[in-house]
Amino acid sequence: MCTVTCVAPVNIAVIKYWGKRDENLILPVNDSISATLDMDHLCAKTTVTASPDFKENRIWLNGKEESMQNSRLQNCLREIKKRAEVPNEMENWKIHIRSENNFPTAAGLASSAAGYACLATALAKLYKTEGDISGIARAGSGSACRSIYGGFVRWYSGNDPTGIDSIARPIAPATHWSEIRILILVVSDSKKKVSSAEGMKRTLETSKFLKYKVEKIIPDRINEMQKAILNKDFTTFAELTMRDSNEMHAACLAAYPPCVYMNDISHSIVDLVHKYNDAKGSVKAAYTFDAGSNATIFLKERDVSEFVGVLNNFLPMSENHLNGYLKGIPIKTALPSSD
Ligand code: DP6
């Protein structure tokens, strides 16, 4: 018997991945950039056990058994088998996978990213696979490839139809910009109505605005963002982050039927951040929203307590506001993890 346990963190995109050019291989229409969070906060933990005594492959997610006949899971297993040198004696061994998140699954908190990054890492360790494994994580969920690395990470969309060059690469370790902090404001921890996969498919097929964003806006923006990170230029980083989030959600609204992820509280957070920045006379905080109503705020460590004070004044914890506090999920402060 052989057992491996791994932990993998969540990542938050500042230039979003939204649209696949190949649905099966999970190849994106554009490059994206993210920050990987500290493992102490939001992460997935996965244990993979291989044994000659197991009769079949099985998987449990957060304690509940799920079907192995999931194409994403099968994609990951296929990719790892292609790359791994499975020892002869393990050739016919079946595996049992147990994975847990320490945060709500499918609530727009990038649970699949941490989950598949963790599975790819655990399988790579089990089968002693060398080299970059971001492509294996990508085969499970696109954004997962960025969680393989710490700090600031870029996922290159690549050009090859096989996806061989669609991999993640670190831009800079977390220590490069160590004053950056992230607050996650949990507006809702219920499951999203339209999954990311379905939402991005519909948006790509029906929203002309998404095509414009991908072709005309992102190519320059991605390089400006990388430069802003390398230069620790918070004003540019923050503006590009907010614009990219706004434009992703505008593209979603331009889908037919529209995909609506942000709610009134999300929009109140957007207003509050802009008012806060205006009041300070410079850009001190940036919001970004994934496929859900929850906000992630990027800011510098020295501004965290003031911003939280402003937040508590204007969007206090109550049934009408940030119910995430009430559900016992406080604001998380996290540093992107180092390599
Ligand atoms: C809005 O990686 O969850 O968080 O590849 O279909 O699994 P699949 O999608 P997923 O999409 C994430 C979308 C996003 C933006 C991002 O993380 O870049």
Side-chain angles (χ1 to χ4, degrees), residues 11 13 15-18 20 26 32 72 112 140-144 146 196-197 200 248 290-291:
N11 72 76
I15 301 292
K16 306 291 187 194
Y17 145 55
W18 197 251
K20 298 180 182 74
I26 312 202
S32 53
R72 288 160 174 258
S112 62
S141 178
S143 55
R146 299 184 310 238
S196 303
M200 65 175 81
M248 179 194 120
D290 282 337

PDB file of all heavy atoms in Angstrom, residues 11 13 15-18 20 26 32 72 112 140-144 146 196-197 200 248 290-291, ligand 1:
ATOM      1  N   ASN A  11      -6.302  30.202  -5.500  1.00  0.00           N
ATOM      2  CA  ASN A  11      -5.721  31.397  -6.127  1.00  0.00           C
ATOM      3  C   ASN A  11      -6.846  32.321  -6.572  1.00  0.00           C
ATOM      4  O   ASN A  11      -7.956  31.860  -6.843  1.00  0.00           O
ATOM      5  CB  ASN A  11      -4.797  31.027  -7.298  1.00  0.00           C
ATOM      6  CG  ASN A  11      -5.556  30.536  -8.522  1.00  0.00           C
ATOM      7  OD1 ASN A  11      -6.149  31.313  -9.269  1.00  0.00           O
ATOM      8  ND2 ASN A  11      -5.555  29.212  -8.717  1.00  0.00           N
ATOM      9  N   ALA A  13      -7.793  35.246  -9.351  1.00  0.00           N
ATOM     10  CA  ALA A  13      -7.324  35.844 -10.610  1.00  0.00           C
ATOM     11  C   ALA A  13      -7.518  37.354 -10.606  1.00  0.00           C
ATOM     12  O   ALA A  13      -8.567  37.856 -10.189  1.00  0.00           O
ATOM     13  CB  ALA A  13      -8.072  35.228 -11.782  1.00  0.00           C
ATOM     14  N   ILE A  15      -6.378  38.960 -13.601  1.00  0.00           N
ATOM     15  CA  ILE A  15      -6.798  38.983 -15.010  1.00  0.00           C
ATOM     16  C   ILE A  15      -7.476  37.628 -15.205  1.00  0.00           C
ATOM     17  O   ILE A  15      -6.849  36.581 -15.056  1.00  0.00           O
ATOM     18  CB  ILE A  15      -5.600  39.109 -15.997  1.00  0.00           C
ATOM     19  CG1 ILE A  15      -4.785  40.380 -15.731  1.00  0.00           C
ATOM     20  CG2 ILE A  15      -6.092  39.065 -17.450  1.00  0.00           C
ATOM     21  CD1 ILE A  15      -5.464  41.682 -16.040  1.00  0.00           C
ATOM     22  N   LYS A  16      -8.763  37.675 -15.508  1.00  0.00           N
ATOM     23  CA  LYS A  16      -9.576  36.461 -15.439  1.00  0.00           C
ATOM     24  C   LYS A  16      -9.438  35.546 -16.653  1.00  0.00           C
ATOM     25  O   LYS A  16      -9.266  36.027 -17.786  1.00  0.00           O
ATOM     26  CB  LYS A  16     -11.067  36.828 -15.329  1.00  0.00           C
ATOM     27  CG  LYS A  16     -11.424  37.776 -14.205  1.00  0.00           C
ATOM     28  CD  LYS A  16     -11.277  37.137 -12.857  1.00  0.00           C
ATOM     29  CE  LYS A  16     -11.804  38.056 -11.765  1.00  0.00           C
ATOM     30  NZ  LYS A  16     -11.375  37.605 -10.439  1.00  0.00           N
ATOM     31  N   TYR A  17      -9.585  34.268 -16.352  1.00  0.00           N
ATOM     32  CA  TYR A  17      -9.790  33.229 -17.378  1.00  0.00           C
ATOM     33  C   TYR A  17     -11.291  33.097 -17.511  1.00  0.00           C
ATOM     34  O   TYR A  17     -11.985  32.840 -16.527  1.00  0.00           O
ATOM     35  CB  TYR A  17      -9.129  31.944 -16.862  1.00  0.00           C
ATOM     36  CG  TYR A  17      -9.784  30.629 -17.185  1.00  0.00           C
ATOM     37  CD1 TYR A  17     -10.070  30.256 -18.510  1.00  0.00           C
ATOM     38  CD2 TYR A  17     -10.079  29.716 -16.169  1.00  0.00           C
ATOM     39  CE1 TYR A  17     -10.644  29.015 -18.788  1.00  0.00           C
ATOM     40  CE2 TYR A  17     -10.646  28.475 -16.444  1.00  0.00           C
ATOM     41  CZ  TYR A  17     -10.935  28.135 -17.757  1.00  0.00           C
ATOM     42  OH  TYR A  17     -11.490  26.920 -18.028  1.00  0.00           O
ATOM     43  N   TRP A  18     -11.820  33.347 -18.683  1.00  0.00           N
ATOM     44  CA  TRP A  18     -13.272  33.214 -18.871  1.00  0.00           C
ATOM     45  C   TRP A  18     -13.531  32.847 -20.336  1.00  0.00           C
ATOM     46  O   TRP A  18     -13.670  33.715 -21.177  1.00  0.00           O
ATOM     47  CB  TRP A  18     -14.002  34.513 -18.477  1.00  0.00           C
ATOM     48  CG  TRP A  18     -15.481  34.305 -18.267  1.00  0.00           C
ATOM     49  CD1 TRP A  18     -16.496  34.741 -19.080  1.00  0.00           C
ATOM     50  CD2 TRP A  18     -16.108  33.611 -17.187  1.00  0.00           C
ATOM     51  NE1 TRP A  18     -17.711  34.349 -18.574  1.00  0.00           N
ATOM     52  CE2 TRP A  18     -17.496  33.648 -17.404  1.00  0.00           C
ATOM     53  CE3 TRP A  18     -15.645  32.941 -16.054  1.00  0.00           C
ATOM     54  CZ2 TRP A  18     -18.423  33.053 -16.541  1.00  0.00           C
ATOM     55  CZ3 TRP A  18     -16.560  32.355 -15.192  1.00  0.00           C
ATOM     56  CH2 TRP A  18     -17.931  32.423 -15.441  1.00  0.00           C
ATOM     57  N   LYS A  20     -13.223  28.981 -23.003  1.00  0.00           N
ATOM     58  CA  LYS A  20     -12.307  27.911 -23.431  1.00  0.00           C
ATOM     59  C   LYS A  20     -12.298  27.822 -24.954  1.00  0.00           C
ATOM     60  O   LYS A  20     -13.359  27.842 -25.571  1.00  0.00           O
ATOM     61  CB  LYS A  20     -12.793  26.556 -22.900  1.00  0.00           C
ATOM     62  CG  LYS A  20     -12.847  26.430 -21.385  1.00  0.00           C
ATOM     63  CD  LYS A  20     -13.337  25.037 -21.009  1.00  0.00           C
ATOM     64  CE  LYS A  20     -13.461  24.823 -19.513  1.00  0.00           C
ATOM     65  NZ  LYS A  20     -14.585  25.478 -18.871  1.00  0.00           N
ATOM     66  N   ILE A  26      -9.558  21.685 -21.858  1.00  0.00           N
ATOM     67  CA  ILE A  26      -9.563  22.884 -21.002  1.00  0.00           C
ATOM     68  C   ILE A  26      -8.410  23.815 -21.402  1.00  0.00           C
ATOM     69  O   ILE A  26      -7.434  24.030 -20.661  1.00  0.00           O
ATOM     70  CB  ILE A  26      -9.567  22.545 -19.489  1.00  0.00           C
ATOM     71  CG1 ILE A  26     -10.648  21.484 -19.196  1.00  0.00           C
ATOM     72  CG2 ILE A  26      -9.739  23.791 -18.646  1.00  0.00           C
ATOM     73  CD1 ILE A  26     -11.156  21.401 -17.776  1.00  0.00           C
ATOM     74  N   SER A  32      -4.084  34.351 -18.261  1.00  0.00           N
ATOM     75  CA  SER A  32      -4.640  34.956 -17.038  1.00  0.00           C
ATOM     76  C   SER A  32      -3.537  35.062 -15.987  1.00  0.00           C
ATOM     77  O   SER A  32      -2.493  34.403 -16.108  1.00  0.00           O
ATOM     78  CB  SER A  32      -5.811  34.114 -16.513  1.00  0.00           C
ATOM     79  OG  SER A  32      -5.441  32.765 -16.357  1.00  0.00           O
ATOM     80  N   ARG A  72     -13.611  15.263 -15.818  1.00  0.00           N
ATOM     81  CA  ARG A  72     -12.457  16.061 -15.390  1.00  0.00           C
ATOM     82  C   ARG A  72     -11.467  15.207 -14.586  1.00  0.00           C
ATOM     83  O   ARG A  72     -10.266  15.301 -14.753  1.00  0.00           O
ATOM     84  CB  ARG A  72     -12.931  17.242 -14.551  1.00  0.00           C
ATOM     85  CG  ARG A  72     -13.624  18.281 -15.403  1.00  0.00           C
ATOM     86  CD  ARG A  72     -14.482  19.164 -14.571  1.00  0.00           C
ATOM     87  NE  ARG A  72     -15.027  20.234 -15.386  1.00  0.00           N
ATOM     88  CZ  ARG A  72     -14.564  21.463 -15.394  1.00  0.00           C
ATOM     89  NH1 ARG A  72     -13.559  21.800 -14.623  1.00  0.00           N
ATOM     90  NH2 ARG A  72     -15.100  22.386 -16.164  1.00  0.00           N
ATOM     91  N   SER A 112     -12.562  24.445  -6.908  1.00  0.00           N
ATOM     92  CA  SER A 112     -12.058  23.448  -7.852  1.00  0.00           C
ATOM     93  C   SER A 112     -10.579  23.688  -8.137  1.00  0.00           C
ATOM     94  O   SER A 112      -9.831  22.754  -8.398  1.00  0.00           O
ATOM     95  CB  SER A 112     -12.871  23.433  -9.139  1.00  0.00           C
ATOM     96  OG  SER A 112     -12.775  24.673  -9.783  1.00  0.00           O
ATOM     97  N   GLY A 140      -8.077  19.071 -14.944  1.00  0.00           N
ATOM     98  CA  GLY A 140      -9.208  18.919 -14.026  1.00  0.00           C
ATOM     99  C   GLY A 140     -10.058  20.169 -13.963  1.00  0.00           C
ATOM    100  O   GLY A 140     -11.281  20.136 -14.047  1.00  0.00           O
ATOM    101  N   SER A 141      -9.413  21.315 -13.848  1.00  0.00           N
ATOM    102  CA  SER A 141     -10.104  22.614 -13.819  1.00  0.00           C
ATOM    103  C   SER A 141      -9.083  23.663 -14.230  1.00  0.00           C
ATOM    104  O   SER A 141      -7.976  23.694 -13.676  1.00  0.00           O
ATOM    105  CB  SER A 141     -10.623  22.883 -12.408  1.00  0.00           C
ATOM    106  OG  SER A 141     -11.238  24.145 -12.353  1.00  0.00           O
ATOM    107  N   GLY A 142      -9.465  24.518 -15.191  1.00  0.00           N
ATOM    108  CA  GLY A 142      -8.501  25.453 -15.761  1.00  0.00           C
ATOM    109  C   GLY A 142      -7.720  26.236 -14.716  1.00  0.00           C
ATOM    110  O   GLY A 142      -6.480  26.210 -14.684  1.00  0.00           O
ATOM    111  N   SER A 143      -8.440  26.912 -13.832  1.00  0.00           N
ATOM    112  CA  SER A 143      -7.769  27.802 -12.883  1.00  0.00           C
ATOM    113  C   SER A 143      -6.852  27.035 -11.917  1.00  0.00           C
ATOM    114  O   SER A 143      -5.989  27.628 -11.275  1.00  0.00           O
ATOM    115  CB  SER A 143      -8.796  28.615 -12.091  1.00  0.00           C
ATOM    116  OG  SER A 143      -9.722  27.753 -11.473  1.00  0.00           O
ATOM    117  N   ALA A 144      -7.026  25.720 -11.819  1.00  0.00           N
ATOM    118  CA  ALA A 144      -6.207  24.907 -10.904  1.00  0.00           C
ATOM    119  C   ALA A 144      -4.727  24.956 -11.269  1.00  0.00           C
ATOM    120  O   ALA A 144      -3.866  24.838 -10.397  1.00  0.00           O
ATOM    121  CB  ALA A 144      -6.696  23.467 -10.907  1.00  0.00           C
ATOM    122  N   ARG A 146      -2.914  27.359 -11.943  1.00  0.00           N
ATOM    123  CA  ARG A 146      -2.205  28.485 -11.306  1.00  0.00           C
ATOM    124  C   ARG A 146      -1.921  28.208  -9.831  1.00  0.00           C
ATOM    125  O   ARG A 146      -1.039  28.819  -9.247  1.00  0.00           O
ATOM    126  CB  ARG A 146      -3.005  29.784 -11.486  1.00  0.00           C
ATOM    127  CG  ARG A 146      -3.205  30.189 -12.960  1.00  0.00           C
ATOM    128  CD  ARG A 146      -3.910  31.537 -13.048  1.00  0.00           C
ATOM    129  NE  ARG A 146      -5.088  31.535 -12.211  1.00  0.00           N
ATOM    130  CZ  ARG A 146      -6.331  31.761 -12.617  1.00  0.00           C
ATOM    131  NH1 ARG A 146      -6.587  32.060 -13.874  1.00  0.00           N
ATOM    132  NH2 ARG A 146      -7.335  31.716 -11.767  1.00  0.00           N
ATOM    133  N   SER A 196     -19.102  27.983 -13.357  1.00  0.00           N
ATOM    134  CA  SER A 196     -18.129  28.722 -14.177  1.00  0.00           C
ATOM    135  C   SER A 196     -18.082  28.118 -15.578  1.00  0.00           C
ATOM    136  O   SER A 196     -18.067  28.828 -16.575  1.00  0.00           O
ATOM    137  CB  SER A 196     -16.723  28.624 -13.607  1.00  0.00           C
ATOM    138  OG  SER A 196     -16.671  29.085 -12.313  1.00  0.00           O
ATOM    139  N   ALA A 197     -18.043  26.767 -15.625  1.00  0.00           N
ATOM    140  CA  ALA A 197     -17.903  26.091 -16.920  1.00  0.00           C
ATOM    141  C   ALA A 197     -19.061  26.454 -17.849  1.00  0.00           C
ATOM    142  O   ALA A 197     -18.851  26.821 -19.009  1.00  0.00           O
ATOM    143  CB  ALA A 197     -17.832  24.590 -16.696  1.00  0.00           C
ATOM    144  N   MET A 200     -19.019  30.370 -18.665  1.00  0.00           N
ATOM    145  CA  MET A 200     -18.026  30.855 -19.650  1.00  0.00           C
ATOM    146  C   MET A 200     -18.359  30.337 -21.053  1.00  0.00           C
ATOM    147  O   MET A 200     -18.119  31.022 -22.042  1.00  0.00           O
ATOM    148  CB  MET A 200     -16.592  30.557 -19.214  1.00  0.00           C
ATOM    149  CG  MET A 200     -16.164  29.146 -19.118  1.00  0.00           C
ATOM    150  SD  MET A 200     -14.389  29.029 -18.713  1.00  0.00           S
ATOM    151  CE  MET A 200     -14.365  29.273 -16.964  1.00  0.00           C
ATOM    152  N   MET A 248     -15.285  41.367 -17.058  1.00  0.00           N
ATOM    153  CA  MET A 248     -15.735  39.966 -17.102  1.00  0.00           C
ATOM    154  C   MET A 248     -17.239  39.908 -16.806  1.00  0.00           C
ATOM    155  O   MET A 248     -18.006  39.238 -17.497  1.00  0.00           O
ATOM    156  CB  MET A 248     -14.979  39.109 -16.078  1.00  0.00           C
ATOM    157  CG  MET A 248     -15.450  37.662 -16.092  1.00  0.00           C
ATOM    158  SD  MET A 248     -14.893  36.703 -14.669  1.00  0.00           S
ATOM    159  CE  MET A 248     -16.457  36.221 -13.952  1.00  0.00           C
ATOM    160  N   ASP A 290     -15.203  36.688  -8.768  1.00  0.00           N
ATOM    161  CA  ASP A 290     -15.209  35.530  -9.656  1.00  0.00           C
ATOM    162  C   ASP A 290     -16.660  35.191 -10.002  1.00  0.00           C
ATOM    163  O   ASP A 290     -17.509  36.063  -9.967  1.00  0.00           O
ATOM    164  CB  ASP A 290     -14.455  34.369  -9.010  1.00  0.00           C
ATOM    165  CG  ASP A 290     -12.941  34.564  -9.118  1.00  0.00           C
ATOM    166  OD1 ASP A 290     -12.512  35.298 -10.027  1.00  0.00           O
ATOM    167  OD2 ASP A 290     -12.202  34.002  -8.310  1.00  0.00           O
ATOM    168  N   ALA A 291     -16.928  33.921 -10.288  1.00  0.00           N
ATOM    169  CA  ALA A 291     -18.283  33.563 -10.705  1.00  0.00           C
ATOM    170  C   ALA A 291     -19.190  33.396  -9.482  1.00  0.00           C
ATOM    171  O   ALA A 291     -19.676  32.307  -9.176  1.00  0.00           O
ATOM    172  CB  ALA A 291     -18.237  32.282 -11.518  1.00  0.00           C
TER     173      ALA A 291
HETATM  174  C1  DP6 B   1     -14.064  33.352 -12.714  1.00  0.00           C
HETATM  175  O1  DP6 B   1     -11.319  27.142 -13.449  1.00  0.00           O
HETATM  176  O2  DP6 B   1     -13.542  27.024 -12.263  1.00  0.00           O
HETATM  177  O3  DP6 B   1     -12.642  32.070 -11.322  1.00  0.00           O
HETATM  178  O4  DP6 B   1     -11.917  25.287 -16.135  1.00  0.00           O
HETATM  179  O5  DP6 B   1     -14.380  25.018 -16.210  1.00  0.00           O
HETATM  180  O6  DP6 B   1     -13.111  24.323 -14.167  1.00  0.00           O
HETATM  181  P1  DP6 B   1     -13.190  25.274 -15.350  1.00  0.00           P
HETATM  182  O7  DP6 B   1     -13.417  26.727 -14.748  1.00  0.00           O
HETATM  183  P2  DP6 B   1     -12.771  27.389 -13.475  1.00  0.00           P
HETATM  184  O8  DP6 B   1     -13.053  28.918 -13.825  1.00  0.00           O
HETATM  185  C2  DP6 B   1     -12.570  29.962 -13.046  1.00  0.00           C
HETATM  186  C3  DP6 B   1     -13.121  31.226 -13.533  1.00  0.00           C
HETATM  187  C4  DP6 B   1     -12.850  32.439 -12.662  1.00  0.00           C
HETATM  188  C5  DP6 B   1     -11.683  33.240 -13.193  1.00  0.00           C
HETATM  189  C6  DP6 B   1     -10.302  32.712 -12.925  1.00  0.00           C
HETATM  190  O9  DP6 B   1     -10.061  32.060 -11.894  1.00  0.00           O
HETATM  191  O10 DP6 B   1      -9.422  33.019 -13.751  1.00  0.00           O
END
